[in-house]
Every structure is written in structure tokens, then in C-alpha cells.
Amino acid sequence: MELQGRVALVTGGARRVGRALSLGLARAGARVVVNFHESGAEAASVVEEIRAAGGEAIPVRADLGVVDGARGLIERTGSEFGRLDVLVNSAAVFVRRPFADITEAEWDRVLAINLKGPFFLAQAAAPLLREAGGAIVNIGDLSALQAWPSFAHHAIAKAGLLHMTRVLARALAPAVRVNAILPGNVLPPEGHEGEDWAGGQDRVLTAREGQPEDVVSALLYLLGGDFLTGEVLVVDGGRRLL
């Protein structure tokens, strides 16, 4: 897929890896919808950076934990740009909690953002994506492949997202391709930004630590590969082998 002039929606596109994905798509020529829920200032900053570089972007607030929020986000995208070519499901809740302490409310919220939201976004976006011959890329992490008991609800949701990728690849074929990326350590843990981060290099097999740009490169590769669908690209520097 040539991205120049296409429209890409990045959920959770204001912060961390989502921010890098928004900027990377804009650099590739896409017009970007930067979705956020509570990170309004960060979303405005990303949009300003894209526009300053000559690109086109808008921030759109939506709570993806409710179906109306997901559907409203797609409706706003369609009304603003008249099309949608790329949906990147990057928004996620990442909460450390011992298995025995997870409450029903917390379970519902994590599953809503990490799994229900991407499903209903894909459902709502399907007509626009089919018309454009577009693509969906779901952003997971290694918890989809590994058992993380301190993040049980998150890991279960990401495992569901991984299988959903394959289900949607069949359901939306041949017009829409659906793939997933599972990043490893590409950023310091939430709350430790700006600190010296020891613990990245000793958890990979490569000669350097991961960076958000590694996920951007994976995204552009999947979008450019018109013969790729239902695939999962693990970008972890070999961490899963340790």
C-alpha cells in the first residue's frame, strides 16, 4: 500500500508507541487521525508536530471502552476525510495487579479497551476499509504469547487480540488485510520515562535495545506487503527466546 494521501487512524495515538506510529505514518504521507481519551494535550502536540512538518492530522477524543465511542470515532473519521485506509489498534490499558486482586470492574475495563474496542472499531470501519482496499494492524505485546500472572487481565486480552487478528483476516478477506505486531521492550515502563533504564539490554539477544521506531518499521512493512494477512510480527529483539 502506498501511504501518500491515505487516511490512517491510530488509537491511543498521542502517547508512547502510539505517538511514534502516528508520526511515522505522517512521515510516510498519510493523513492521520490521532485518537485519545484523556491525553488531550499530548494529542494536540502530536498533531502540531505533524502539521509543522507539512502533514495533515486531527485529534479525536473517544472512549473505546464503550461501543458508541468506537463507532463515533469511525463516523468522525469518515466525516472529516471521506475515507479510511488504515486502522491501527494501539490503545491499551496496562495495569499490574496480582491475579487474586483483580476486581470485576478492573477486568471489565481492561478487556473493554484492549479487546472489545478493537473488535467494534474493526466492525464499524469495515465498510470504509473495504471500499479503500485498506488494512488493520493490531498492536499487542509478548503477553499474547507468554503467561504474565501479574498482568493476567491484560495478557488474556492481548491473547484474544492475537486470535482476533486471524479471525478478522478471514472475515474481511480479500478486500481488507489484517495483521498484528507484538513489540517487546521498546520503551521504559510507564512512569519511568526520562530515567536511566537498566534492564532492556539484558533482556534481548540483539546488540541494542528496542526503540519505538522498530515498531514503526514493522507497521510500514506490514502495510506495504499486499500479500500479507493474518500474520503476527514479533518485534522483541529475541526476548521471547530467553
Side-chain angles (χ1 to χ4, degrees), residues 124-149:
L128 289 173
L129 292 171
R130 285 193 177 104
E131 183 178 351
I136 298 173
V137 178
N138 296 317
I139 308 299
D141 57 44
L142 292 182
S143 70
L145 303 176
Q146 301 172 337
W148 291 7

Side-chain angles (χ1 to χ4, degrees), residues 11-228:
T11 70
R15 302 179 62 250
R16 295 177 63 82
V17 171
R19 179 181 188 275
L21 297 174
S22 296
L23 295 173
L25 287 165
R27 287 194 301 269
R31 295 174 287 171
V32 183
V33 177
V34 179
N35 161 250
F36 70 97
H37 183 211
E38 298 177 345
S39 304
E42 292 93 335
S45 175
V46 173
V47 168
E48 181 180 357
E49 185 171 342
I50 291 172
R51 291 174 177 171
E56 188 175 352
I58 60 170
V60 179
R61 184 181 185 276
D63 181 357
L64 304 182
V66 295
V67 174
D68 285 348
R71 290 173 177 163
L73 176 57
I74 300 301
E75 290 173 3
R76 174 72 187 281
T77 300
S79 66
E80 288 285 340
F81 292 107
R83 63 184 297 155
L84 176 61
D85 301 270
V86 176
L87 169 60
V88 181
N89 283 311
S90 179
V93 178
F94 187 67
V95 179
R96 178 188 290 272
R97 191 81 68 223
F99 164 75
D101 295 340
I102 295 173
T103 65
E104 181 181 7
E106 190 170 79
W107 168 274
D108 288 346
R109 186 61 180 168
V110 170
L111 270 288
I113 298 295
N114 293 11
L115 186 57
K116 184 174 79 171
F119 178 87
F120 285 102
L121 277 166
Q123 186 185 73
L128 289 173
L129 292 171
R130 285 193 177 104
E131 183 178 351
I136 298 173
V137 178
N138 296 317
I139 308 299
D141 57 44
L142 292 182
S143 70
L145 303 176
Q146 301 172 337
W148 291 7
S150 295
F151 300 88
H153 42 359
H154 172 89
I156 290 165
K158 290 298 185 180
L161 184 68
L162 176 59
H163 194 60
M164 190 181 83
T165 297
R166 293 163 174 154
V167 171
L168 292 182
R170 294 194 65 181
L172 298 177
V176 181
R177 296 182 299 108
V178 186
N179 294 292
I181 302 170
L182 304 186
N185 294 3
V186 296
L187 279 175
E190 187 87 40
H192 295 273
E193 297 87 345
E195 301 178 8
D196 290 333
W197 182 37
Q201 186 58 53
D202 63 353
R203 301 177 76 180
V204 296
L205 297 177
T206 51
R208 64 169 177 83
E209 298 177 6
Q211 302 292 333
E213 287 302 317
D214 295 315
V215 187
V216 175
S217 296
L219 173 64
L220 297 179
Y221 170 73
L222 290 174
L223 293 177
D226 290 342
F227 199 56
L228 292 171

